[in-house]
Amino acid sequence: MTKPCIITVAITGSLPGKKDNPAVPISPAEQIESTHEAFEAGATLVHLHVRNDDGSPTSSPERFAKVLEGIRKHCPGIITQLSTGGRSGTGRERGGMLSLKPDMASLATGSVNFPTRVYENAPELVDWLAAEMIKHEVKPEVEAFDLSMIFQAAAMQQAGKIKGPLHVQFVMGVKNAMPVDRETFEFYVRTLQRLDPDATWTGAGIGKDQVTLNRWSLELGGHCRTGLEDNVRISREKLAPSNAALVKKVVELCAEYGRRPATATEARSILRL
């Protein structure tokens, strides 16, 4: 039986702007419309960041609430996942929107170097974010930028700080963090399966490596992430016209590997939501 692939679309992020690609959705209305197009193209999980009117990143619960309201109205069943990332706020304000009860939220379980800064996730903050997710019944997506983060997630699960099977996203291609390396990727997958046999996982590649991670994930039975947050181009020569166009590219890849996009109902079942 064909294993469905959950396609995550990361529509905006904290960094890409209109100067990088005019299709990057900034306002709540743009984000809602872009998510709806991606949903119709085959995405069943949306990873959300929000921006201020000037395009700068924010963790504003009010801004998240506005975007969530529109997405829930226009994309019935889509899995909503909010970012608790460090570019949008500091300390506990990074989790201030969890009371909105999205289906999921990102959880980085350790610190890592980024191109120009340290992405700092102190143990106390990680534990607090995880506790808030349990409190508001939000499933974490563990963002694994290196191997230690997978082991830390498993330790947190064993300690009851993360409930249920893990869902981990392997992130490769961020400068100064984990490079795109096939043997390492396969070791990530085997390690996660050893630590939590019921875990699910997604591969995320940055820039030109987006398609590489899509292919590896489809081949090894995982799920795929795409979207303008990670990659603003549809090819080396051409900017992506929309998030939906990047989603359609993954849908086409699914067929190459004998897979098919998961429906929203299937995605929820796979992730035990």
Side-chain angles (χ1 to χ4, degrees):
M1 185 175 178
T2 300
K3 183 178 182 181
C5 171
I6 300 168
I7 300 177
T8 295
V9 61
I11 59 169
T12 301
S14 295
L15 289 179
K18 299 287 188 184
K19 69 182 190 317
D20 304 298
N21 184 330
V24 174
I26 300 297
S27 70
E30 287 176 335
Q31 292 199 334
I32 293 162
E33 181 180 4
S34 187
T35 301
H36 183 236
E37 291 174 351
F39 179 58
E40 291 193 322
T44 46
L45 193 161
V46 59
H47 176 75
L48 295 167
H49 293 246
V50 288
R51 307 285 189 97
N52 295 310
D53 290 338
D54 65 1
S56 60
T58 178
S59 291
S60 163
E62 294 75 22
R63 206 78 170 182
F64 271 115
K66 188 177 293 187
V67 174
L68 276 177
E69 181 184 9
I71 288 174
R72 285 167 172 163
K73 178 181 178 181
H74 295 287
C75 307
I78 195 170
I79 297 166
T80 54
Q81 182 188 99
L82 305 189
S83 171
T84 65
R87 292 188 187 277
S88 305
T90 58
R92 294 190 176 188
E93 70 177 328
R94 287 169 48 180
M97 79 300 287
L98 294 172
S99 61
L100 298 173
K101 296 185 179 293
D103 298 298
M104 302 181 73
S106 60
L107 180 67
T109 53
S111 301
V112 64
N113 283 347
F114 274 4
T116 59
R117 61 189 285 269
V118 176
Y119 180 24
E120 186 175 342
N121 295 286
E124 181 276 332
L125 177 60
V126 174
D127 284 349
W128 180 81
L129 287 169
E132 286 293 291
M133 291 181 198
I134 288 177
K135 176 181 175 181
H136 297 293
E137 299 181 328
V138 177
K139 183 180 177 75
E141 175 183 83
V142 174
E143 308 300 329
F145 293 90
D146 69 29
L147 189 62
S148 66
M149 298 183 185
I150 301 170
F151 278 90
Q152 179 61 18
M156 291 178 70
Q157 181 195 44
Q158 291 168 6
K161 296 177 181 179
I162 294 176
K163 287 190 174 180
L166 295 173
H167 178 65
V168 177
Q169 180 162 262
F170 306 122
V171 185
M172 289 184 147
V174 176
K175 185 180 179 182
N176 297 333
M178 182 56 67
V180 177
D181 181 84
R182 176 64 185 241
E183 288 189 23
T184 301
F185 185 73
E186 291 184 8
F187 185 74
Y188 272 5
V189 174
R190 290 198 306 272
T191 300
L192 177 62
Q193 291 172 339
R194 174 168 58 84
L195 294 173
D196 181 6
D198 294 325
T200 51
W201 59 271
T202 296
I206 307 302
K208 64 181 175 57
D209 295 312
Q210 187 170 76
V211 173
T212 301
L213 268 292
N214 290 161
R215 288 186 175 279
W216 291 355
S217 299
L218 288 167
E219 180 184 347
L220 297 180
H223 305 285
C224 293
R225 167 161 149 159
T226 191
L228 292 168
E229 171 176 351
D230 301 336
N231 171 38
V232 296
R233 296 186 173 274
I234 196 82
S235 67
R236 179 180 290 183
E237 301 79 20
K238 185 180 177 184
L239 291 174
S242 63
N243 277 298
L246 292 172
V247 171
K248 288 174 184 174
K249 195 167 183 176
V250 180
V251 171
E252 292 169 0
L253 286 175
C254 283
E256 282 188 38
Y257 290 89
R259 305 277 301 275
R260 62 175 177 79
T263 65
T265 300
E266 287 172 332
R268 287 180 173 276
S269 175
I270 291 166
L271 294 175
R272 296 170 171 83
L273 296 175

